[in-house]
Amino acid sequence: MAEKEKKSLTVKITGVLPSVNVIETTDYKNFDSLVKEYINKTGGVLTKILVNEKEVPMKFYDDIKTSFFEGGEVIELEFSDRNYVLMNLFESGKDYINKIKQNLDSVSKQALLDSEQSHEMLQAVAEGFQAMINIIMIAENQMFFGKAIHTPEQLEKIKKVVSQIVISQEKKDSVDLSDIIDFDLPQTLEIFRKIFETAEREMKKEKSN
């Protein structure tokens, strides 16, 4: 019986410990297992993905992580120093939290008026929340290797508040929307703050070990 033809792909690593590697498609179960292998090798954080010279936004990582290789692909992965990247992300997250807090009164008043500005503000808040959730997922997957820095209850609370905002906007219930902004949003921001502080403590603990 003829030996089955082996298929290969090229993996280019840039940033931390750059290299070019030709591997067999069977060496890794899927894209996620490939990435985790190079996270371990480089000790870095994945900050950019290119597949056949086309960039894949990091927010789509979960959509492609179970993909398998057919052969012939050129995968380029950029890894950056994880402590530097994640500390910057956490700082950006905390700055964003403070910025929202400073504008809650204005957003609440605009919501009562059912103004276009309030809808734009709340859309920006929802997008900001998703960005902060992405930061948390990156930290857990690439810094803490699957160790959770948030509880299911915390994430559920965040999702619930975002859902309530969307529903109230669709119903044009300006009073309910204002109440959510006044009472639920501050609690949600506090949840994010606690998660980021937990992450920073874990990073400092790991650094001291």
Side-chain angles (χ1 to χ4, degrees), residues 97-133:
I97 289 168
N98 290 332
K99 185 177 179 180
I100 295 178
K101 282 182 176 179
Q102 292 169 3
N103 290 283
L104 282 179
D105 286 344
S106 174
V107 177
S108 179
K109 290 173 183 175
Q110 291 294 330
L112 280 173
L113 296 172
D114 194 27
S115 70
E116 183 64 31
Q117 186 179 2
S118 73
H119 293 293
E120 291 175 358
M121 287 177 173
L122 288 169
Q123 178 63 31
V125 168
E127 290 174 358
F129 279 9
Q130 186 56 55
M132 289 196 288
I133 289 173

Side-chain angles (χ1 to χ4, degrees), residues 128-156:
F129 279 9
Q130 186 56 55
M132 289 196 288
I133 289 173
N134 289 343
I135 290 173
I136 293 166
M137 295 300 114
I138 289 171
E140 289 181 342
N141 289 331
Q142 299 194 46
M143 179 67 188
F144 306 119
F145 304 105
K147 179 181 178 182
I149 55 174
H150 75 281
T151 66
E153 292 78 16
Q154 287 175 321
L155 196 57
E156 188 59 35

Side-chain angles (χ1 to χ4, degrees), residues 22-59:
V22 177
I23 62 173
E24 293 182 15
T25 57
T26 54
D27 287 349
Y28 298 94
K29 179 182 177 182
N30 51 33
F31 182 73
D32 191 49
S33 62
L34 169 69
V35 169
K36 286 180 177 176
E37 172 77 11
Y38 281 98
I39 287 174
N40 288 330
K41 285 182 177 180
T42 64
V45 170
L46 180 64
T47 49
K48 191 173 183 179
I49 303 168
L50 284 90
V51 178
N52 296 332
E53 299 186 344
K54 292 183 179 179
E55 184 170 358
V56 179
M58 290 298 299
K59 65 181 179 180

Side-chain angles (χ1 to χ4, degrees), residues 114 119 163-173 177:
D114 194 27
H119 293 293
S163 177
Q164 287 173 333
I165 290 173
V166 172
I167 291 170
S168 296
Q169 283 185 303
E170 289 175 348
K171 290 181 177 179
K172 297 187 180 300
D173 190 337
L177 202 52

